[in-house]
């Protein structure tokens, strides 16, 4: 009996871990490495629902006028859109021309923690 039960247990285990894949960033607006005109908001859509309390992003200005400077944090609010899986960041004042990086960290509803970052430019 043992020789049959073990393979079944292993098969169930691998099925369970496949079902709990980590959340992924599906799309971002502005998209990574894009140059855009004054975005009113930055939207990051993930593959799974997020826990609002543990999900957020920091937006940093990293350069402007052709120069690079130490990252300067942009004042912004972050909230989860009604779909439950999109993190929306709204800068308190419009983003000026320059380069920005977005460092995001999220916890999905199944408690997986993932983080990442990308850059875009405003012309
Ligand atoms: Cu700057």
């Amino acid at each position: 009996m043992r020789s049959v039960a073990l393979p079944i247990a292993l098969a169930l285990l691998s099925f369970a871990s496949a079902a709990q894949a980590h959340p992924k960033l599906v799309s971002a607006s502005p998209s990574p490495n894009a140059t855009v005109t004054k975005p009113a908001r930055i939207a990051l859509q993930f593959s799974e629902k997020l826990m609002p309390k543990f999900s957020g992003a920091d937006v940093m200005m990293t350069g402007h006028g052709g120069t690079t400077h130490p990252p300067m944090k942009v004042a912004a609010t972050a909230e989860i859109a009604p779909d439950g899986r999109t993190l929306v960041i709204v800068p308190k004042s419009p983003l000026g021309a320059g380069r920005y990086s977005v460092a995001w960290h999220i916890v999905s509803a199944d408690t997986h923690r993932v983080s990442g970052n990308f850059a875009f430019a405003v012309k």
Side-chain angles (χ1 to χ4, degrees):
M1 202 57 200
R2 182 176 290 171
S3 60
V4 174
L6 185 59
I8 290 172
L10 287 174
L12 287 173
L13 200 63
S14 62
F15 178 75
S17 57
Q20 294 188 332
H22 279 32
K24 288 190 188 74
L25 180 62
V26 174
S27 68
S29 168
S31 46
N33 303 317
T35 298
V36 298
T37 308
K38 295 203 193 324
R41 47 178 237 157
I42 300 157
L44 311 179
Q45 191 192 32
F46 291 89
S47 57
E48 295 178 35
K49 295 212 173 188
L50 308 176
M51 295 178 75
K53 203 173 169 185
F54 304 110
S55 302
D58 286 330
V59 181
M60 308 277 194
M61 190 191 212
T62 57
H64 66 269
T67 64
T68 299
H69 55 66
M72 288 167 48
K73 192 169 175 178
V74 173
T77 58
E79 63 178 34
I80 306 297
D83 69 359
R85 60 185 67 201
T86 304
L87 181 62
V88 178
I89 302 133
V90 180
K92 293 222 160 107
S93 45
L95 298 179
R99 288 192 305 285
Y100 294 87
S101 73
V102 180
W104 54 265
H105 60 276
I106 56 119
V107 176
S108 57
D110 59 5
T111 72
H112 287 136
R113 179 181 294 272
V114 182
S115 62
N117 64 80
F118 67 91
F120 68 88
V122 174
K123 63 184 172 189

